[in-house]
Amino acid sequence: MPTKAPLKVGKKKVKLADKKKRAIVEEQESENLEDDADLLNMDQNNAMGGIDQEQLTAEEKEDQVIKTLNSNNPQAPHNLTKFSYKDRMFKTDDMVEQMVFHFQFDGDIILKDSDEAHDQEEFWDNKKRTNQGLLDKINVAIKEEFGKDPLEGNEKAQKKSLRNQFNFQERAAQTFNLPLREKGIKTDPPQCSVFSLETTQWMIFDAYLTNWEEIQRADFEEQQKGKSKDKKPVQQQQQHAEDPLYSTSMKRALKIMERMIVQNADEEKFEDYKYYEDTTEDPESHNYGSVLPLWRFSTEKSRRKHVTSICWNPRYKDIFAVGYGSYDFLKQNTGLICCYTIKNPTWPEYSYTTESGVMCLDYHPKYPALLAVGCYDGTVMVFDIRLKGNNKPIYQSTVRTNKHTDPVWQVRWQAEDATKQLSFYSISSDGRVTSWNLMKNKLEPEEVIKLKLVIDQDKELVENKKEAFLYGLAGGMCFDFNKFNDHLFLVGTEEGKIHLCSKAYSGQYLETYEGHYLAVYAVKWNHFHPRVFISCSADWTIKMWDQQIKRPIMTFDLGCAVGDIEWAPYSSTVFAAVTSAGNLYVYDLKQEKHHHLCEHPAMKKAKALHVSFNWEDPIILVGDERGGVNSFKLSKSLTKGPLQPAKEDDKSTPQQLEQKKMEDFLNAQDKEVY
């Protein structure tokens, strides 16, 4: 056994070496623990004084020192200064960023229960199902081609094998890299202008004095704020000297001077307007029933617009308003309102622009400064022409106030009632006649009548007195209120029918007059007779009606579309009409029953759209499709009226005489229906 002794000695030596190492490590650990305990005891007992250690007494040790910790960064700067482009100066930024990141690490670990983990699991499941589906399709294709899959049943082998080795296709494409290009442009420097001003000591003194007054006023207001509320503050009235060049008196003087210059430059026409009279009495004469052209009113803004309405001011006989829009519904543009005066035909006194084309307008009969306007988009507005420099209306309908959905073809002010409330009516293609009341801050709509569409008049049962067969709404084109019965009004429609309506009955028509075959452009009550009215249409005809007779009592065929008609304000038998051929026609049924007295080419190669009589002077206006309004003076043969009572007849009035003249004309007509 000689080999066993050395092995035993070797094991003992190893064990002794391990014991020595363990003893050395334990000694080092005990020394470290003792050093830590000494440090702790040194701080508690203050037995050892360090270099930077302050000696404290027992009372100082017992004092409690409280320190508040905050999240402010002591190294953050507090005097950052930035340049403010708004105030044109440097300003200190009070907002200081206090947050400091000591450690930041972006991880890729997500929670199992989070939505992101569920989405990730769902993605992998879908991918596995897709791969499995593709693998199954390949296996089916192999079976169909070879009859048997050699790797069937071994899923791992199927995944590792090249299942698509024959149908594999590799596609590659090489694209061109776009070259980098630089584009520059050279601009001209902004134009600079040098201006100077010569000042005096008095101007500088006035500037300092104005500044001092502002400071005194501000101090006075601060003092008044501290006083009691019962005492009313005394306002300091500052007197500002008005510049004579921009004063109201200077503007008035310039306007008078402008009118004088215009009248001197166009002296002949003004003399014709005031003094010329055609006194031809012979009906066979060429000048009998003639008109004299005067001025053409137009502006640059209205050259490509249609004249859609003309209305004279009820108080001032020389002022009239013109509305501009477009009857070409495929070329709609902004609208324009111009108020002209005969004293200055070269330029309008007032002008207003609208977002949509103006279709109609009307002056208030009692308050001539109020102008009601209807637009193509269904909006109705009210302007006050006294507000100079303000292009906005004082009232305007909106979608919230149930505005019209189609163009507004006519507006008409209502006579002031017992409630003293201002209101006007409007008619539109959407089949509604609406009354608009002027409230304090808005327009309040009130539906008067819905224009029901009469399709088959033959289905009307006369015996049972039922209404005609109705369906939908008719498009309203025009309306007019009776001068003698305010509750009665006529409505002309796009279907060529004229309905007699009442404000008291909004559910049905009082009467329907059929005679036109196309849209009715205008319908007007007679100024002197309560039953007679006249209408014009696109079917080339003018028809005269009696309220009690359903068929027209007179028909005039003019050979082209009639755009507008109007009764003369001085006679019950005189009316005027304009056509699309540009002609002006004037009729006097007392002198000639079946033919016009005057036919005048009012326009050159343009359609005449509207006509209007002046309520005092023998002046008539005609508007065309080129944005112009031509004025004419009527001869004596066209302005006969009103009839004056004889000296021995004290009971008759001009109104009664004119009414009797129309009644005589009606009695001479054949009223039988054949």
Side-chain angles (χ1 to χ4, degrees):
M1 301 288 293
T3 58
K4 293 182 179 179
L7 290 172
K8 291 181 179 179
V9 174
K11 288 182 179 180
K12 289 181 180 180
K13 288 182 180 181
V14 171
K15 291 180 179 179
L16 291 174
D18 292 340
K19 288 182 179 180
K20 287 182 181 180
K21 289 181 179 179
R22 290 176 182 174
I24 292 171
V25 171
E26 290 177 355
E27 288 179 1
Q28 290 178 354
E29 290 179 354
S30 61
E31 290 178 359
N32 292 335
L33 293 174
E34 289 176 359
D35 293 338
D36 294 340
D38 293 340
L39 289 173
L40 294 172
N41 294 331
M42 178 184 67
D43 188 23
Q44 294 176 359
N45 301 328
N46 199 14
M48 296 178 63
I51 299 175
D52 297 333
Q53 185 69 34
E54 184 179 359
Q55 301 297 328
L56 302 176
T57 61
E59 296 177 354
E60 291 176 347
K61 292 179 180 180
E62 293 178 357
D63 292 341
Q64 293 183 359
V65 179
I66 300 174
K67 293 185 178 180
T68 304
L69 300 179
N70 54 32
S71 60
N72 294 338
N73 183 12
Q75 297 181 354
H78 296 279
N79 56 351
L80 290 178
T81 303
K82 296 181 180 179
F83 185 78
S84 174
Y85 290 94
K86 178 181 179 181
D87 300 330
R88 308 294 296 175
M89 61 182 299
F90 286 94
K91 285 189 174 183
T92 304
D93 191 1
D94 297 332
M95 301 298 294
V96 180
E97 184 64 32
Q98 304 291 346
M99 183 178 292
V100 178
F101 291 95
H102 297 284
F103 178 75
Q104 186 177 2
F105 178 75
D106 295 334
D108 55 357
I109 301 174
I110 58 177
L111 295 176
K112 281 187 175 182
D113 298 334
S114 63
D115 296 338
E116 190 176 356
H118 294 325
D119 296 341
Q120 190 174 11
E121 290 178 0
E122 185 179 357
F123 171 75
W124 286 112
D125 293 341
N126 294 334
K127 189 173 182 181
K128 288 180 181 179
R129 286 195 295 270
T130 304
N131 295 337
Q132 186 63 36
L134 295 175
L135 187 60
D136 294 341
K137 289 181 180 179
I138 295 173
N139 294 335
V140 171
I142 292 174
K143 288 181 181 180
E144 291 178 354
E145 185 174 356
F146 300 103
K148 185 180 179 181
D149 188 4
L151 300 178
E152 185 176 3
N154 190 354
E155 186 176 355
K156 292 184 178 180
Q158 289 179 355
K159 291 182 178 179
K160 291 182 180 180
S161 64
L162 297 175
R163 313 296 288 176
N164 194 23
Q165 56 184 344
F166 300 105
N167 296 330
F168 177 75
Q169 296 180 0
E170 183 178 0
R171 297 183 179 89
Q174 184 176 4
T175 60
F176 294 98
N177 294 328
L178 297 176
L180 298 178
R181 298 178 180 178
E182 293 183 359
K183 185 178 180 180
I185 186 171
K186 184 178 180 182
T187 60
D188 296 330
Q191 296 182 358
C192 299
S193 59
V194 180
F195 61 92
S196 59
L197 179 67
E198 182 179 355
T199 62
T200 60
Q201 293 183 355
W202 291 108
M203 296 173 65
I204 299 173
F205 175 78
D206 293 340
Y208 276 105
L209 186 61
T210 304
N211 187 20
W212 181 80
E213 290 178 354
E214 290 290 334
I215 295 174
Q216 293 294 325
R217 185 182 58 81
D219 294 342
F220 180 77
E221 290 179 355
E222 291 293 334
Q223 293 176 4
Q224 293 297 327
K225 289 181 181 179
K227 294 183 179 181
S228 60
K229 297 182 180 180
D230 297 336
K231 295 181 179 179
K232 295 183 180 179
V234 180
Q235 296 181 356
Q236 287 185 348
Q237 297 181 354
Q238 297 182 358
Q239 296 181 356
H240 296 282
E242 187 177 12
D243 192 351
L245 292 177
Y246 303 98
S247 61
T248 306
S249 59
M250 177 61 74
K251 292 180 180 179
R252 179 176 176 81
L254 292 175
K255 181 179 291 188
I256 295 174
M257 183 63 67
E258 181 185 9
R259 292 180 178 179
M260 292 175 63
I261 294 174
V262 170
Q263 292 181 15
N264 290 334
D266 204 1
E267 182 181 2
E268 294 181 358
K269 290 185 178 180
F270 278 96
E271 289 182 353
D272 292 341
Y273 161 71
K274 193 168 184 180
Y275 302 110
Y276 176 79
E277 290 184 1
D278 187 358
T279 58
T280 304
E281 296 294 339
D282 185 10
E284 301 297 331
S285 176
H286 178 71
N287 293 331
Y288 189 80
S290 63
V291 293
L292 178 67
L294 293 177
W295 305 282
R296 178 174 174 83
F297 300 86
S298 179
T299 61
E300 290 292 335
K301 296 181 180 179
S302 65
R303 288 191 181 279
R304 297 184 180 180
K305 300 181 185 295
H306 296 171
V307 175
T308 56
S309 182
I310 303 174
C311 182
W312 288 94
N313 192 284
R315 180 176 298 179
Y316 304 100
K317 65 176 183 179
D318 62 308
I319 297 178
F320 61 94
V322 182
Y324 296 96
S326 177
Y327 288 127
D328 188 355
F329 303 137
L330 298 178
K331 297 180 181 179
Q332 286 298 318
N333 205 341
T334 58
L336 178 66
I337 304 170
C338 292
C339 297
Y340 294 96
T341 177
I342 296 177
K343 298 177 181 178
N344 185 8
T346 60
W347 193 256
E349 293 291 311
Y350 313 98
S351 62
Y352 306 93
T353 57
T354 59
E355 295 181 358
S356 181
V358 176
M359 293 287 108
C360 53
L361 49 82
D362 186 36
Y363 274 113
H364 194 281
K366 187 176 180 181
Y367 304 101
L370 297 181
L371 185 64
V373 179
C375 297
Y376 178 78
D377 61 353
T379 305
V380 293
M381 297 176 287
V382 179
F383 288 90
D384 189 351
I385 62 176
R386 294 172 298 183
L387 303 177
K388 298 181 180 179
N390 186 9
N391 196 31
K392 296 181 179 180
I394 57 176
Y395 291 97
Q396 183 174 359
S397 64
T398 60
V399 178
R400 293 183 178 180
T401 57
N402 196 18
K403 75 167 188 176
H404 291 288
T405 56
D406 283 342
V408 180
W409 293 112
Q410 193 169 355
V411 292
R412 184 61 56 87
W413 284 98
Q414 182 188 17
E416 189 173 355
D417 54 3
T419 60
K420 303 294 184 180
Q421 189 174 11
L422 300 180
S423 63
F424 64 94
Y425 294 87
S426 63
I427 187 170
S428 172
S429 299
D430 59 3
R432 290 189 298 140
V433 178
T434 308
S435 173
W436 302 89
N437 297 319
L438 275 63
M439 308 302 287
K440 184 176 181 181
N441 296 322
K442 64 176 182 177
L443 286 175
E444 188 68 27
E446 181 180 354
E447 186 176 290
V448 178
I449 190 173
K450 282 188 176 180
L451 304 177
K452 298 179 181 179
L453 182 63
V454 179
I455 289 185
D456 192 357
Q457 193 73 15
D458 296 336
K459 292 186 178 181
E460 184 177 3
L461 302 179
V462 181
E463 296 178 358
N464 298 331
K465 296 182 179 180
K466 292 185 178 180
E467 287 190 15
F469 181 66
L470 304 177
Y471 179 79
L473 297 177
M477 294 293 294
C478 55
F479 70 120
D480 192 25
F481 286 87
N482 195 303
K483 276 71 175 176
F484 302 90
N485 298 321
D486 292 340
H487 65 282
L488 294 178
F489 63 95
L490 295 167
V491 175
T493 64
E494 295 177 351
E495 292 75 24
K497 295 181 174 59
I498 301 174
H499 304 293
L500 177 63
C501 308
S502 174
K503 290 189 283 187
Y505 303 99
S506 60
Q508 61 183 357
Y509 304 133
L510 300 182
E511 194 66 73
T512 299
Y513 304 94
E514 296 184 0
H516 290 292
Y517 302 101
L518 294 177
V520 179
Y521 285 156
V523 58
K524 301 290 178 67
W525 285 101
N526 193 281
H527 296 292
F528 299 94
H529 200 282
R531 299 196 321 270
V532 177
F533 61 92
I534 197 171
S535 63
C536 68
S537 171
D539 61 1
W540 303 0
T541 61
I542 300 173
K543 296 183 183 296
M544 182 180 295
W545 308 78
D546 190 340
Q547 181 183 339
Q548 299 175 353
I549 304 175
K550 287 188 176 182
R551 68 173 182 84
I553 59 177
M554 288 287 291
T555 300
F556 305 94
D557 192 347
L558 300 184
C560 55
V562 185
D564 192 13
I565 54 171
E566 186 172 6
W567 288 102
Y570 51 82
S571 177
S572 61
T573 57
V574 177
F575 65 90
V578 290
T579 63
S580 59
N583 294 331
L584 168 65
Y585 296 90
V586 182
Y587 289 82
D588 190 348
L589 303 178
K590 178 67 174 176
Q591 302 182 53
E592 183 63 45
K593 294 182 180 180
H594 304 286
H595 197 266
H596 52 264
L597 289 182
C598 173
E599 180 183 1
H600 184 79
M603 306 297 166
K604 294 181 180 179
K605 298 180 180 180
K607 295 180 181 179
L609 301 177
H610 289 276
V611 62
S612 179
F613 280 97
N614 188 292
W615 47 269
E616 185 173 337
D617 292 337
I619 301 296
I620 189 170
L621 300 177
V622 179
D624 61 9
E625 63 178 355
R626 296 180 179 176
V629 178
N630 291 352
S631 59
F632 302 92
K633 186 172 183 180
L634 302 173
S635 62
K636 277 289 185 179
S637 57
L638 300 177
T639 57
K640 292 183 178 181
L643 296 178
Q644 298 297 328
K647 294 182 179 180
E648 58 274 5
D649 188 6
D650 297 336
K651 297 182 180 180
S652 299
T653 61
Q655 169 70 30
Q656 295 174 350
L657 295 177
E658 288 292 336
Q659 183 174 345
K660 185 178 182 302
K661 183 171 67 171
M662 176 56 74
E663 194 69 35
D664 295 339
F665 172 78
L666 295 177
N667 294 332
Q669 301 302 313
D670 188 3
K671 300 181 181 180
E672 295 294 333
V673 179
Y674 298 101

